[in-house]
Amino acid sequence: MEKIAVIGAGGWGTALSIVFSKKTDVILWERFSEYAKILSSTRENLEFLPGIKIPESVVITNSIEDACSNSKTIIMAVPSKYFRNVIIEIKPFYRKQEILIASKGIEPETGMRMSEILYNEIGCHNFAVISGPTIAYEVAVGNPTAAVIAARNINLARKFQEMFSSEKFRLYTSNDVCGVEICGGYKNVLAIGSGIIDTLKLGDNTRAAYLTRGVHEMKNFGITLGAKEKTFWGLAGIGDLITTSISPTSRNHRFGKAIAAGKGNEFLSSTKMIVEGIFASKAIIKMSKENNVEIPIASAIYRIIHEHTSPMDEIRKLMTRQLKDE
């Protein structure tokens, strides 16, 4: 049986370990030795996925050498802000293993997608990315879930599809790596706005208009960078946006609700989870300026987060922009 390493023992990494352990041997890497011991002894991720048992067959380690050196496939499930540093740690133990990127986000300092960082640091071509509406808890408990795996080499995407698909976890394939990764970062920014709409009690009309125009904006942004339009109407695009924008467990949605209530800092200090949309918003604004693409919704969310503008003022600006055709 092929052995895989899941790098990152957050909620998503733990969920993938649980699901994939039913089909293959799994090593789960947790950075901190003390927490790795807790995971091993309790077989439960109390911080990020409480109430779900980790199978005894999942080997838990804080040695990145042990995880990578003994595996044919590496699954990257660390937050995007740590992705580059962890890849640098993996580099001495990289032996041309196939890599599946499960991290969603865009590096704020460079605007690079995770696959671009992977190639930049270790020259890896043999990779795929996975994305879609995949709330970690629902995946872990076995609720029916669908996602997409994208690779430039479609045969690799299909190999992973065969390896990891199951009765409860259905995978589709694509060759639009750029589009899938753009969706994974952009939807987190839009989900923050959805949370703001909820707290302000603006209603279903507002939410529907916001999400519809948000997908349109995300699509235009992605196409400018080389993505394919169909990706934005699929699981990685509108599918993941819906889930992240309405789920009560979505940290980006919850952060948006907190911001609108004037409690954004309190929320951040109360959670160990990374709110990816905060960092993605910086990258997206930088990239939009470099590529001369208009993104009024993401720009408004950026100003609310980083410049502390009034949500109602930003909504008013969006509603009174120059009229145009749909």
Side-chain angles (χ1 to χ4, degrees), residues 213-231:
R213 295 307 301 173
V215 172
H216 181 77
E217 178 179 297
M218 180 169 68
K219 175 204 69 171
N220 287 345
F221 178 83
I223 289 174
T224 301
L225 296 170
K228 298 178 180 179
E229 180 174 350
K230 66 178 291 187
T231 300

Side-chain angles (χ1 to χ4, degrees), residues 1 62 82 87 124 157 159 189 191 198 217 279 298 313:
M1 185 179 292
N62 80 310
Y82 303 129
I87 288 296
C124 176
K159 176 182 177 180
V189 179
D198 275 1
E217 178 179 297
F279 306 99
D313 285 347

Side-chain angles (χ1 to χ4, degrees), residues 31-87:
R31 172 176 294 282
F32 300 105
S33 60
E34 286 304 312
Y35 197 59
K37 291 175 183 176
I38 292 171
L39 292 174
S40 294
S41 62
T42 64
R43 310 307 297 183
E44 182 178 354
N45 194 332
L46 297 169
E47 292 284 355
F48 301 111
L49 205 64
I52 308 296
K53 285 298 179 183
I54 301 170
E56 293 290 340
S57 61
V58 175
V59 176
I60 299 168
T61 181
N62 80 310
S63 167
I64 207 159
E65 178 179 5
D66 289 348
C68 295
S69 297
N70 297 315
S71 302
K72 290 186 177 180
T73 300
I74 298 172
I75 300 177
M76 295 297 302
V78 298
S80 63
K81 67 178 292 188
Y82 303 129
F83 190 89
R84 185 182 294 274
N85 287 339
V86 175
I87 288 296

Side-chain angles (χ1 to χ4, degrees), residues 98 126-128 149-163 173-175:
E98 294 168 338
N126 209 22
F127 68 85
I149 291 180
R152 294 187 182 94
N153 177 0
I154 196 66
N155 290 327
L156 179 61
R158 289 171 181 155
K159 176 182 177 180
F160 283 143
Q161 179 187 43
E162 289 293 328
M163 281 178 63
T173 59
S174 167
N175 62 2

Side-chain angles (χ1 to χ4, degrees), residues 92-106:
F93 316 111
Y94 175 60
R95 301 292 184 268
K96 307 299 181 184
Q97 297 99 321
E98 294 168 338
I99 296 180
L100 179 60
I101 300 171
S103 303
K104 300 177 183 178
I106 305 170

Side-chain angles (χ1 to χ4, degrees), residues 99-175:
I99 296 180
L100 179 60
I101 300 171
S103 303
K104 300 177 183 178
I106 305 170
E107 190 173 53
E109 298 82 7
T110 65
M112 295 175 77
R113 308 187 313 272
M114 300 299 102
S115 66
E116 293 174 317
I117 295 171
L118 182 68
Y119 178 76
N120 181 254
E121 292 295 343
I122 62 175
C124 176
H125 291 280
N126 209 22
F127 68 85
V129 299
I130 182 171
S131 195
T134 50
I135 296 295
Y137 175 83
E138 296 184 21
V139 172
V141 298
N143 288 356
T145 298
V148 60
I149 291 180
R152 294 187 182 94
N153 177 0
I154 196 66
N155 290 327
L156 179 61
R158 289 171 181 155
K159 176 182 177 180
F160 283 143
Q161 179 187 43
E162 289 293 328
M163 281 178 63
F164 299 130
S165 288
S166 66
E167 185 179 313
K168 299 295 181 65
F169 196 61
R170 182 174 176 83
L171 295 171
Y172 292 81
T173 59
S174 167
N175 62 2

